[in-house]
Amino acid sequence: MRVHRQLHGRGALFDTEPAGLAPRLVGLRPHQHRAIAVEHPQELPFVVLTGARGTGKSALLAELRRAYHGHTPVALVDCEAAEFAAPPAGRDTESWSPVSQALLVIAEQLAQPVTGAGRITFPRLMSGLVAVAAGGWRDADSERIRREVGRILLLNESGSWIAGFAGRWAGRVAANVAAAATGTGPLLSSAIEATLESISDSFVHRRRQRAATWWRDYPNASRNARRGLMLLSGHFRAGGTSREHAERHLVRALLADLTDAYAGVLPRMQRLGRPLVLVDNAQSAPGPGLTDPVLRDRSAGIADQVVFITALRGTGRPALRNAVRRTLPEVARRTDWTPDPASPASRALLVSLPPLTADDTLHIVDEHQVPPQLPHAVHRLTGGNPLGITLLTESAAQNGTGSLGELLTSDVRLHEDRDGRPAYVELLDRLVPADRLEELTVLAAAHDHDSATALAAALLPDDFGPADVRALQTRLVQEGLPEVPGRFVGDPFVRTLLLLRLHHRSADHGRWRATHETLIAHYAPPGPDEAHTRYRLHHELALGSTESAVAHLRDTFTALDTRTWLRTLRFVASAPYFHAHDAEGHDFAAHDDRRAAIALGHTDAAQPMPDSADDHAVAVLHLRIRRLLHAVWQLTDPLALPDPKVCDRLRFELEQLSNLRPAGNALLWRASRDWPEDALAGRPLRIPDGNDDDSGDGEGAA
């Protein structure tokens, strides 16, 4: 099976030999009409794919739909689509909801014929949706009523052998319902009565005439289907928990119709594979309204055989707190899923999508002729984010290869009917909340709540205060971005893109300078520990000022614990770097990067020594630290390809420093071996002995 390049590393979901998660649940091989044994023959897990933006959830659902379309009933809805945001023109919110709309759209897709079997009809859901719609017909004209009920009754019959007959039948029923609804009798009651009579009398649905009586089991219906539908409509119009009650029964009606379609000997022989419902962006309405009723009914013993696979931004809603959690590799061969009878949420199986590996990235990027270091650099920059890898690869295909910074700032055209935009703009559109892009662009430079509040006070509107800072950080975590001490935006890739946007906000980079100057002032008073100084030096370096960083690293070389000194060097040098500017802050036309020249010692002769470095040994150490700082700065820059010559120089400088510090000789010598290797492989620089958490103190790649 060949899948889109975005799906590299997702074989645990699609594999056929042995079967991955989706084939084991659906009972069919992807892209084939060949049955396989199902893993859960009785009760199915409700699968929820979790992850942050850009982790490939939507791509997976789209591929699942392609894999099973035409082979088994399949439907895909995106809860963030415009059709679920508001009712269509002329329809009020009393008779419409995102859930009712989603059920109609899902049923329309599931009704389409598949190999070896005809269309599925939805008489129970149809009756319920007509009752809901009829609640808003008080002042409607007959044409609007005919249009609304016609779509509900038809449920996308086109394409089947009975399409012409069914279309004429639906038209007659719509006319009957419209006539009843606009007559002199009670509007809602007349519409429901006409619908039930039409279904019962219909030749097309004769095998399912019992469906006309299904609504008599609605609570307090007194075994009367018409009364059940009247109560359903009233509960829906009431809103709140009453509407949730009604929507739960509409979801149950959909599943009952699907169960009926698979009942009996003949349907079971014709239909291979379970029906598949795919729900994208399930954190938004109507997602919870589709998920929660299924989990509650399954927990109550109301069984169904529908495979639900949904995508949820973040790590899970509070209602799913007790769900079973697995990673995608863990479910590659079996789920090991057993629900807790006392917990409806345990019917859900939350499957987190891991980042793509370096090998996955290599396979994607290597589809084009690229420098050998580029795949490693792409993986280091993106952290294995599938969207980032795909868009950078597309930029390389359209613009030719260059530095990662050039690939991000070059225009990439993703649609034939639209002009191209810079790749980093396209990425930010999809990776961060659009309503907070401006605030995040500034706050990406912050390290914690206090520094973010200082930036907000200086550079953001007055109505964005400390409470908004906390709310925004909480929102990022809820959306699946990691919490990293020392970084307001914990995901290195997203932070890099935001800082790139900050740098390009104005031609003179005034916003960029103001942001870092604000943080330099915030950290200007002596702090209680080394971290406070690191932050100040980090932002000075981001503005191109290296003197204080070199002096601090030189003066603390023998005073600080060696491991702490290496952490300081690594973090200070993780300052963002974009091409050099002239004295007024404008870009140099040549986009030159002077770090390599400094690291290689080409500028040593012209470098004036500070007054404190009049001693020869101190002067030698000063130049060595200066070269080392620029080497680490260049090699850890997520937007630059690592320079092999600079790697060699990094190794040499650390070796020489190890000779000057007997107490830290082993650590410095080990770093001289590990750091060049890590840089060339696109990995974060490791602190020797493996006792350091690269992300725990905010010292990861900037």
Side-chain angles (χ1 to χ4, degrees), residues 227-516:
R227 176 173 171 78
L229 288 168
M230 293 282 291
L231 289 168
L232 172 80
S233 182
H235 289 151
F236 192 95
R237 291 197 310 275
T241 56
S242 295
R243 173 171 289 188
E244 292 175 5
H245 175 82
E247 289 175 339
R248 179 182 177 186
H249 281 78
L250 289 172
V251 174
R252 188 180 295 174
L254 171 79
L255 299 181
D257 284 330
L258 287 170
T259 299
D260 202 26
Y262 279 74
V265 176
L266 187 58
R268 284 203 304 269
M269 292 176 61
Q270 290 179 323
R271 297 191 181 278
L272 296 179
R274 291 158 160 164
L276 177 61
V277 175
L278 307 167
V279 182
D280 199 5
N281 289 304
Q283 72 281 345
S284 303
L290 297 172
T291 301
D292 297 348
V294 177
L295 297 178
R296 290 179 60 185
D297 278 4
R298 288 181 177 180
S299 182
I302 303 175
D304 67 83
Q305 286 292 298
V306 180
V307 178
F308 283 91
I309 300 181
T310 68
L312 183 71
R313 188 182 305 145
T315 56
R317 298 166 41 234
L320 298 174
R321 186 172 293 112
N322 295 323
V324 178
R325 297 176 183 269
R326 300 282 187 271
T327 64
L328 185 59
E330 289 174 337
V331 299
R333 301 296 172 254
R334 62 181 183 276
T335 63
D336 290 327
W337 171 82
T338 303
D340 179 355
S343 173
S346 71
R347 264 69 191 174
L349 175 63
L350 270 58
V351 180
S352 61
L353 301 179
L356 298 184
T357 66
D359 284 345
D360 296 326
T361 306
L362 178 66
H363 295 152
I364 297 171
V365 180
D366 260 1
E367 293 182 9
H368 305 278
Q369 296 296 320
V370 298
Q373 310 102 314
L374 186 61
H376 291 303
V378 167
H379 188 262
R380 179 184 64 175
L381 168 64
T382 63
N385 180 283
L387 176 64
I389 295 168
T390 301
L391 259 174
L392 280 165
T393 303
E394 189 61 36
S395 182
Q398 295 184 23
N399 300 299
T401 57
S403 71
L404 292 177
E406 291 170 336
L407 293 181
L408 284 172
T409 54
S410 298
D411 285 352
V412 59
R413 189 175 183 182
L414 301 179
H415 307 280
E416 291 185 0
D417 56 343
R418 300 182 197 172
D419 292 335
R421 297 193 299 168
Y424 79 89
V425 174
E426 293 285 356
L427 285 164
L428 285 173
D429 273 357
R430 307 185 200 186
L431 291 176
V432 303
D435 60 320
R436 287 301 183 210
L437 177 58
E438 292 298 328
E439 292 85 352
L440 283 171
T441 299
V442 172
L443 299 183
H447 302 281
D448 52 22
H449 174 76
D450 289 344
S451 57
T453 301
L455 283 175
L459 300 172
L460 295 179
D462 292 341
D463 60 355
F464 192 86
D468 302 287
V469 171
R470 291 194 187 279
L472 182 53
Q473 194 161 28
T474 299
R475 181 175 176 184
L476 294 179
V477 174
Q478 290 173 340
E479 291 204 354
L481 294 181
E483 284 187 280
V484 177
R487 300 292 193 186
F488 184 84
V489 177
D491 184 275
F493 180 42
V494 174
R495 184 173 66 250
T496 297
L497 295 173
L498 289 167
L499 291 174
L500 184 61
R501 183 176 188 269
L502 176 66
H503 183 261
H504 285 276
R505 292 302 287 156
S506 57
D508 65 354
H509 311 296
R511 193 75 161 175
W512 172 263
R513 290 199 309 275
T515 298
H516 292 288

Side-chain angles (χ1 to χ4, degrees), residues 481-562:
L481 294 181
E483 284 187 280
V484 177
R487 300 292 193 186
F488 184 84
V489 177
D491 184 275
F493 180 42
V494 174
R495 184 173 66 250
T496 297
L497 295 173
L498 289 167
L499 291 174
L500 184 61
R501 183 176 188 269
L502 176 66
H503 183 261
H504 285 276
R505 292 302 287 156
S506 57
D508 65 354
H509 311 296
R511 193 75 161 175
W512 172 263
R513 290 199 309 275
T515 298
H516 292 288
E517 286 169 354
T518 299
L519 290 174
I520 291 169
H522 177 71
Y523 289 111
D529 53 32
E530 178 69 11
H532 199 88
T533 302
R534 291 175 192 166
Y535 292 145
R536 175 174 55 80
L537 297 176
H538 174 94
H539 294 287
E540 289 184 5
L541 200 61
L543 293 179
S545 176
T546 63
E547 291 79 5
S548 295
V550 173
H552 178 79
L553 289 168
R554 181 198 68 212
D555 295 342
T556 59
F557 176 64
T558 57
L560 284 177
D561 170 79
T562 302

Side-chain angles (χ1 to χ4, degrees), residues 103-112 122 151-152 155-156:
L103 290 171
L104 174 59
V105 173
I106 289 171
E108 287 174 334
Q109 295 181 50
L110 292 174
Q112 297 178 17
F122 295 88
R151 179 181 177 184
I152 296 171
L155 283 178
N156 199 20

